């Protein structure tokens, strides 16, 4: 009974069916937004008009379609597929490899008639034929008048390595799903922060409790005034507030601390800092005009006596200047850092207050996933190696010689002809 169950799990049709289910679930996880707020699902998948006539927010939450890759049924499918690969490797691929390594002599001439490539040589030079086969890099085994040879056995290992690589990828996926997390932090320059705005996390994930500090943030621009790169100078602090690691990160160049990655992802402007004639510092908050479209901020600086009179300050970059408009929207000019603004009171622009957007991420299964794909590439190269076999059987003055291969049939036919034509 156990053997039948194992054979069922090792069956190719079961593996393909399980893989199709995993692909279908992955498609669902791609179409439906993952790890979003309940309000978002209520807005986009209302009960009154379900998507496709049946998909509403209550069903999405009930079946866990808002976090497909972390549900028990998706992890169960991955586990079943991994078991199928393991059983297939042990019950089919390894025995097939053992059979390929055995000496499979043909003891009668009837066996040669079943081969696509065979011939009968009359009064051949047996040692010369053996030397010709040996020259083609075949491994040879001989028992008196019986000869068996093969080459390219490493190509038969490729399916086993494919299974092994896929198992590594599946294990890495499960580890990341259970122990990984992703957070998004918007931190003003010079401020400390803890990892607290968690976007998604696994059931067994542990959020690091250490703090970090954003020492500085800046943007470099091209000659055409387009953004070239974002930079954040970040320090990792210990429990006593002392710096233990520091790095300037940019897009695609994160800081790595104990397998936790700190990526540069976004930026924001939070305010303008001015200085009065009395050396008092005043801060005006900036508001993003188009939060989900363009990065343009503005603030209102009113007259000290009449709040309805004032100027509009508009800024869309970190190059050190902002634009000034009056109440009617008329452009008054630009103001740079350390430049005075004469508007009923003398204000000097000291600093443009900015904040950096950081994505903090832990993927403990990534090394296994990369290793799995590495072995998958190796197995792809190995699969191009042709596994060929040649048999010989000498009877009286006749030599029966034949062979077959698993791929590159035309090349093998040419090789076979080269072996027998100079007998």
């Amino acid at each position: 009974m156990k053997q039948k169950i194992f054979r069922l799990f090792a069956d190719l049709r079961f593996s393909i069916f399980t893989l199709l289910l995993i692909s279908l679930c992955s498609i669902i996880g791609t179409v439906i937004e993952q790890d979003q707020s309940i309000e978002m699902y209520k807005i986009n998948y209302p009960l009154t008009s379900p998507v496709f006539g049946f998909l509403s927010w209550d069903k999405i939450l009930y079946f866990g379609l808002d976090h497909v890759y972390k549900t028990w049924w998706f992890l169960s499918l991955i586990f079943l597929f991994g078991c199928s690969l393991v059983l297939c490797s042990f019950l089919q691929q390894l025995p097939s490899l053992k059979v390929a390594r055995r000496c499979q002599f043909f003891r009668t001439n009837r066996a040669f008639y079943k081969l696509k490539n065979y011939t009968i040589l009359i009064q051949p030079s047996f040692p010369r034929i053996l030397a010709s086969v040996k020259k083609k890099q075949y491994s040879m085994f001989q028992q008196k008048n019986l000869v068996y040879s093969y080459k390219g056995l490493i190509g038969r290992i490729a399916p086993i390595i494919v299974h092994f690589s896929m198992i590594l990828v599946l294990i890495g996926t499960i580890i990341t799903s259970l122990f990984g997390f992703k957070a998004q932090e918007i931190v003003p320059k010079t401020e400390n922060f803890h990892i607290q705005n968690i976007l998604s996390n696994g059931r067994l994930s542990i959020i690091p409790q250490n703090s970090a500090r954003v020492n500085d943030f800046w943007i470099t621009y091209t000659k055409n005034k387009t953004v070239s790169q974002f930079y954040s100078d970040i320090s990792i602090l210990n429990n006593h507030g002392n710096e233990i690691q520091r790095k300037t990160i940019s897009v695609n160049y994160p800081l790595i601390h104990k397998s936790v990655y700190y990526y540069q992802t976004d930026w924001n402007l939070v305010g303008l800092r001015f200085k009065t004639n009395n050396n008092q510092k005043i801060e005006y908050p900036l508001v993003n005009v188009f939060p989900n479209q363009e990065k343009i901020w503005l603030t209102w600086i009113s007259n000290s006596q009449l709040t309805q009179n004032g100027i509009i300050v508009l800024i869309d970059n970190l190059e050190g200047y902002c634009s000034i408009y009056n109440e009617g929207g008329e452009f008054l000019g630009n103001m740079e850092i350390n430049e005075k603004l004469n508007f009923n009171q003398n204000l000097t622009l000291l600093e443009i207050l900015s904040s950096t957007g950081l994505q903090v991420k832990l993927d403990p299964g990534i090394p296994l996933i990369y290793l799995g794909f590495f072995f998958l590439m190796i197995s792809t190269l190995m699969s191009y190696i042709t596994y060929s076999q040649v048999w010989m059987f000498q009877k009286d003055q006749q030599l029966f010689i034949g062979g077959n291969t698993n791929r590159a049939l035309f090349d093998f036919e040419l090789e076979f002809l080269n072996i027998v034509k100079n007998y």
Side-chain angles (χ1 to χ4, degrees):
M1 186 65 182
K2 292 181 179 179
Q3 188 175 6
K4 290 182 178 180
I5 294 176
F6 289 159
R7 291 290 178 184
L8 173 64
F9 279 97
D11 189 78
L12 178 62
R13 291 168 294 182
F14 178 81
S15 299
I16 293 177
F17 177 73
T18 308
L19 185 59
L20 288 176
L21 287 179
I22 294 175
S23 301
L24 178 62
C25 295
S26 299
I27 292 173
I28 294 174
T30 303
V31 173
I32 300 176
E33 299 85 346
Q34 300 292 291
D35 299 310
Q36 301 296 321
S37 62
I38 298 178
E39 289 73 17
M40 193 281 299
Y41 293 108
K42 288 183 178 180
I43 294 173
N44 294 283
Y45 303 91
L47 295 174
T48 54
S49 57
V51 179
F52 304 120
F54 65 91
L55 191 59
S56 57
W57 67 268
D58 58 336
K59 292 185 177 63
I60 291 176
L61 298 181
Y62 180 79
F63 291 105
L65 301 182
D66 59 326
H67 56 283
V68 171
Y69 309 109
K70 300 173 185 177
T71 56
W72 64 269
W73 43 267
F74 185 79
L75 296 178
S76 299
L77 287 175
I78 292 180
F79 178 76
L80 285 177
F81 185 60
C83 290
S84 178
L85 293 176
V86 172
L87 291 174
C88 182
S89 300
F90 282 98
L91 298 181
Q92 296 183 14
Q93 298 297 334
L94 288 177
S96 176
L97 181 62
K98 291 180 180 179
V99 170
R101 295 182 59 189
R102 295 175 184 172
C103 298
Q104 307 173 39
F105 295 107
F106 283 179
R107 301 183 182 278
T108 62
N109 55 358
R110 296 178 182 177
F112 288 86
Y113 301 144
K114 300 178 182 180
L115 299 176
K116 184 177 180 180
N117 300 285
Y118 81 95
T119 187
I120 303 174
L121 305 179
I122 308 300
Q123 295 182 349
S125 174
F126 196 45
R128 191 172 178 181
I129 288 288
L130 295 180
S132 180
V133 175
K134 186 67 176 177
K135 188 182 296 184
K136 299 296 183 180
Q137 306 299 322
Y138 279 85
S139 299
M140 303 185 64
F141 303 88
Q142 182 178 3
Q143 284 186 358
K144 297 182 179 179
N145 62 334
L146 306 177
V147 175
Y148 170 69
S149 57
Y150 67 83
K151 72 175 181 178
L153 183 62
I154 191 173
R156 300 297 296 269
I157 306 177
I160 300 176
I161 299 180
V162 170
H163 290 184
F164 176 71
S165 63
M166 295 180 70
I167 290 170
L168 286 179
V169 172
L170 294 177
I171 293 175
T173 302
I174 292 176
I175 291 176
T176 295
S177 178
L178 293 177
F179 297 94
F181 73 88
K182 182 170 65 174
Q184 185 78 27
E185 305 292 341
I186 303 295
V187 187
K189 187 169 62 175
T190 71
E191 295 291 334
N192 293 3
F193 70 96
H194 294 271
I195 303 173
Q196 53 188 0
N197 187 24
I198 309 297
L199 299 179
S200 62
N201 64 297
R203 298 178 182 273
L204 303 178
S205 60
I206 300 176
I207 309 300
Q209 299 301 314
N210 61 287
S211 60
R213 181 178 64 243
V214 177
N215 302 308
D216 198 2
F217 170 76
W218 67 95
I219 301 176
T220 57
Y221 294 87
T222 64
K223 295 180 179 179
N224 298 326
K225 301 300 180 180
T226 58
V227 174
S228 174
Q229 186 61 280
F230 305 95
Y231 297 94
S232 294
D233 184 4
I234 299 179
S235 296
I236 305 298
L237 310 178
N238 60 16
N239 295 331
H240 301 287
N242 298 323
E243 182 181 273
I244 56 177
Q245 186 177 351
R246 182 172 181 173
K247 182 181 179 180
T248 298
I249 68 171
S250 58
V251 178
N252 298 326
Y253 296 95
L255 181 149
I256 306 173
H257 177 70
K258 295 182 178 180
S259 300
V260 178
Y261 287 72
Y262 294 79
Y263 290 96
Q264 176 70 57
T265 59
D266 201 0
W267 65 287
N268 190 24
L269 298 182
V270 294
L272 299 176
R273 181 174 293 166
F274 292 89
K275 182 181 69 172
T276 65
N277 289 337
N278 299 327
N279 290 327
Q280 294 180 348
K281 294 181 180 180
I282 303 175
E283 293 183 3
Y284 289 91
L286 289 171
V287 178
N288 194 347
V289 182
F290 307 105
N292 299 321
Q293 299 178 12
E294 300 182 25
K295 289 185 176 295
I296 300 177
W297 295 265
L298 60 81
T299 188
W300 170 263
I301 301 178
S302 64
N303 189 312
S304 59
Q305 299 176 354
L306 300 173
T307 57
Q308 66 271 21
N309 296 329
I311 60 172
I312 300 172
V313 180
L314 193 69
I315 183 171
D316 62 353
N317 57 68
L318 266 180
E319 293 188 275
Y321 70 90
C322 51
S323 301
I324 310 299
Y325 298 82
N326 61 16
E327 303 96 326
E330 182 182 353
F331 179 65
L332 302 178
N334 292 327
M335 179 176 59
E336 298 182 355
I337 292 179
N338 296 324
E339 184 178 348
K340 289 187 177 182
L341 172 66
N342 296 319
F343 178 68
N344 293 343
Q345 58 175 334
N346 290 326
L347 293 178
T348 302
L349 179 61
L350 288 181
E351 186 180 2
I352 300 174
L353 304 178
S354 61
S355 61
T356 179
L358 303 175
Q359 185 181 90
V360 187
K361 194 174 183 181
L362 173 64
D363 288 324
I366 286 295
L368 284 178
I369 294 176
Y370 287 167
L371 185 62
F373 279 108
F374 171 76
F375 281 114
L376 187 61
M377 291 186 291
I378 295 297
S379 64
T380 302
L381 297 177
M382 293 175 57
S383 65
Y384 285 99
I385 300 176
T386 302
Y387 176 67
S388 304
Q389 298 169 288
V390 174
W391 291 269
M392 284 180 272
F393 171 61
Q394 189 175 31
K395 183 179 181 181
D396 300 329
Q397 298 299 318
Q398 294 180 328
L399 178 65
F400 293 84
I401 179 171
N404 64 9
T405 186
N406 61 342
R407 58 172 56 88
L409 301 178
F410 181 72
D411 292 339
F412 178 76
E413 290 178 1
L414 293 178
E415 184 179 72
F416 184 76
L417 290 175
N418 290 330
I419 290 175
V420 302
K421 71 178 182 179
N422 296 320
Y423 74 94

